Amino acid sequence: MSAPHAIPRSHADWRAMAESLIFETRAFIDDAFVDAASGETFETINPATGKVLARVASCDAADAELAVQHARAAFDRGDWSRIAPGRRKKLLLRLADLMETHKHELALLDTLDMGKPVSSSLGDMAGAIACLRYNAESIDKVYGEVAPTGEESLGLVLREPLGVVASIVPWNFPLMMTAWKIAPALAAGNSVILKPSEKSPLSALRLAQLAKEAGLPHGVFQVLPGYGHTVGKALALSMGVNCLAFTGSTAVGKQLMQYAGQSNLKRVYLECGGKSPNIVFADCKHLDAVAENAAAAIFHNQGEVCIAGSRLLVENAIREDFIERVLKAAEGMQPGDPLDPDSFMGAIVDQTQYQRILDYIRQGVAEGAHLRTGGEAVETCPGGLFISPTIFDDVTPEMTIGREEIFGPVLSVFGFDTEEEAIRLANDSLYGLAAGLWSQDLDRIMRVTRRLESGQVYVNNWAGGDMTVPFGGVKQSGNGRDKSMHSLQEYSELKTVWMSLEP
């Protein structure tokens, strides 16, 4: 077993650990680390410093074709797809144990790669490990069915793995989103090809090392770093891929569905964008705590969160008082060095996203929204990409910042007078990933929860839940579900067997 790093506890410890890391930068194909077939590489950059961390193999269509061939061969070989569920369970639990052993290193890789605070990355690791263990433990608890028949027949409904699954994951929660995709797919017996974001590939490649160490059969799990328009597109168009699981933007999700239709009608599961409403009614209690939650709902992970509570809907009777409380909470959520365990926010992932956020802020001002705080770049670390918590009031549904997903630390506040108006504002969006409401009125909670067009609704909390409940959206936030037994079942195929028996 590979030796873990010493446990870092302070800012200085994390800095020292960062300086000692050795990055794996090659693709992982058929149990071997290899350069891209073209020899091409791309830079991965630490957004907190602007410094290049490494040059990583840039895979393209040739690498995708090779990986698909090996994935299919592994599936047909049967030493993963057809083994007893208990054996798959043992190996996935071993992988989860290795992730636990190396969780500080894995967390640090995500922090260096995409800028989130290391304390947040550690939370992601806990979620990723829990996901592996949940799905591993679930493998031998998924049953087929016996149909009700007469004694002359026997009807069976079997669950079988799909084949080759391509998982394309985002940069904002690199390893946790990876776990959400690959754990149920592997548990169901599929071969998995992972395409991490080119903005955050390092933890996926370290995971490949751990999967090899855990003893997963060759070809069952492979990692192809590279760009979406090259290797990602090749996987989506491949006739040898049976299922495509994606988390990312709605625009790319639509492209992937087109590619599936142009190729083999592969299944496509999408978790896409969001513009989530967070509704605060005047009857809610503990306004300071609610304000703290409302601020964290948008400023956690620098606002680079698909379910970020980016639209705050406040009943006008308490609106000004509540906004003041949110402003006070935001003061304690300023960006800091991502390697400092006390930092709440870190760096924006790259220059493109950084400029995009600042452009949205300028547009909000130009369209007449009231900028209450923030709205500017800050120099937290030399060479880094940091933006202060930004809050706009007097936002209307017609304004760009009130409709489009910004994916940054920008909160838009709307006022409302009635429950009906709150529901209308909340549902006035292309998206339907998450929604929240704060109230002490149980009748109101039940009414509003039923009418919100959202894949999940958080009542008197934001982003609550664990592995036992599904996660996903409606409308243009996607389809399919991550987490829970529902996710595990999506990576299997139903087969009907009807037997005629001798009388």
Side-chain angles (χ1 to χ4, degrees), residues 338-353:
L339 295 179
D340 184 346
D342 293 329
S343 294
F344 185 87
M345 290 205 311
I348 303 301
V349 66
D350 67 2
Q351 184 69 43
T352 300
Q353 185 63 18

Side-chain angles (χ1 to χ4, degrees), residues 34-219:
V34 296
D35 294 331
S38 66
E40 294 293 320
T41 61
F42 63 88
E43 291 181 344
T44 184
I45 297 171
N46 181 348
T49 64
K51 295 180 180 178
V52 175
L53 293 167
R55 295 199 66 89
V56 179
S58 186
C59 296
D60 57 24
D63 306 283
E65 182 179 357
L66 182 62
V68 170
Q69 290 173 2
H70 288 302
R72 173 56 57 183
F75 185 81
D76 293 342
R77 199 171 61 237
D79 52 2
W80 184 258
S81 58
R82 295 198 300 273
I83 61 173
R87 290 178 61 192
R88 289 203 301 272
K89 171 180 175 178
K90 182 178 180 181
L91 289 174
L92 288 179
L93 287 175
R94 187 181 299 168
L95 176 57
D97 288 344
L98 286 169
M99 292 172 66
E100 180 82 47
T101 298
H102 297 277
K103 64 182 178 182
H104 294 89
E105 178 189 358
L106 292 167
L108 181 56
L109 288 172
D110 279 355
T111 288
L112 293 174
D113 231 359
M114 61 76 56
K116 68 167 59 194
V118 72
S119 56
S120 177
S121 292
L122 279 173
D124 295 353
M125 293 312 109
I129 294 163
C131 180
L132 259 291
R133 287 179 173 152
Y134 179 91
N135 281 279
E137 292 288 359
S138 299
I139 294 172
D140 53 7
K141 300 171 184 66
V142 177
Y143 290 81
E145 301 169 20
V146 178
T149 66
E151 61 183 14
E152 73 283 357
S153 302
L154 176 63
L156 304 177
V157 181
L158 309 179
R159 283 199 171 272
E160 298 183 342
L162 299 174
V164 177
V165 175
S167 300
I168 301 177
V169 298
W171 48 262
N172 57 332
F173 292 90
L175 199 58
M176 191 170 78
M177 292 295 99
T178 290
W180 283 16
K181 299 300 185 192
I182 71 167
L186 288 171
N190 298 286
S191 297
V192 175
I193 302 170
L194 172 66
K195 206 296 278 186
S197 170
E198 68 277 6
K199 300 179 184 182
S200 57
L202 297 178
S203 63
L205 294 169
R206 181 67 177 112
L207 180 65
Q209 292 178 328
L210 298 180
K212 181 180 177 74
E213 186 174 336
L216 270 65
H218 62 91

Side-chain angles (χ1 to χ4, degrees), residues 85-86 181 308 467 500:
K181 299 300 185 192
M467 279 302 303
S500 296

Side-chain angles (χ1 to χ4, degrees), residues 286-484:
H286 313 298
L287 286 182
D288 283 338
V290 177
E292 190 81 20
N293 274 273
I298 179 62
F299 300 132
H300 171 65
N301 207 53
Q302 308 78 245
E304 297 168 327
V305 184
C306 56
I307 59 166
S310 54
R311 289 189 295 148
L312 180 61
L313 282 53
V314 187
E315 191 166 351
N316 283 324
I318 62 167
R319 178 173 163 190
E320 184 56 37
D321 175 50
F322 188 74
I323 291 174
E324 289 296 333
R325 296 170 193 257
V326 175
L327 289 167
K328 182 178 179 181
E331 290 175 3
M333 299 179 181
Q334 300 300 317
D337 185 341
L339 295 179
D340 184 346
D342 293 329
S343 294
F344 185 87
M345 290 205 311
I348 303 301
V349 66
D350 67 2
Q351 184 69 43
T352 300
Q353 185 63 18
Y354 175 78
Q355 191 58 55
R356 171 186 168 91
I357 296 167
L358 292 176
D359 287 345
Y360 270 115
I361 291 170
R362 282 190 284 269
Q363 191 162 8
V365 172
E367 292 183 359
H370 180 194
L371 180 62
R372 297 292 297 266
T373 190
E376 58 190 7
V378 291
E379 189 175 354
T380 299
C381 301
L385 305 173
F386 299 88
I387 296 175
S388 59
T390 300
I391 298 176
F392 282 100
D393 192 10
D394 299 323
V395 179
T396 64
E398 296 76 25
M399 293 180 182
T400 304
I401 61 168
R403 303 193 68 81
E404 296 186 10
E405 184 179 40
I406 298 173
F407 226 62
V410 182
L411 178 63
S412 296
V413 182
F414 300 73
F416 67 88
D417 291 309
T418 67
E419 180 181 303
E420 193 66 29
E421 185 183 4
I423 294 169
R424 179 181 57 78
L425 284 169
N427 290 338
D428 185 17
S429 175
L430 298 174
Y431 303 109
L433 188 55
L437 69 100
W438 302 80
S439 173
Q440 306 307 127
D441 184 335
L442 184 58
D443 290 335
R444 165 176 280 162
I445 288 170
M446 294 307 298
R447 286 194 305 269
V448 176
T449 297
R450 293 279 188 173
R451 293 184 60 192
L452 289 173
E453 298 169 354
S454 177
Q456 46 257 322
V457 178
Y458 308 119
V459 179
N460 294 329
N461 72 89
W462 188 265
D466 58 20
M467 279 302 303
T468 63
V469 292
F471 180 97
V474 298
K475 299 198 286 189
Q476 293 192 40
S477 288
N479 57 55
R481 292 296 182 265
D482 292 316
K483 300 169 55 184
S484 81

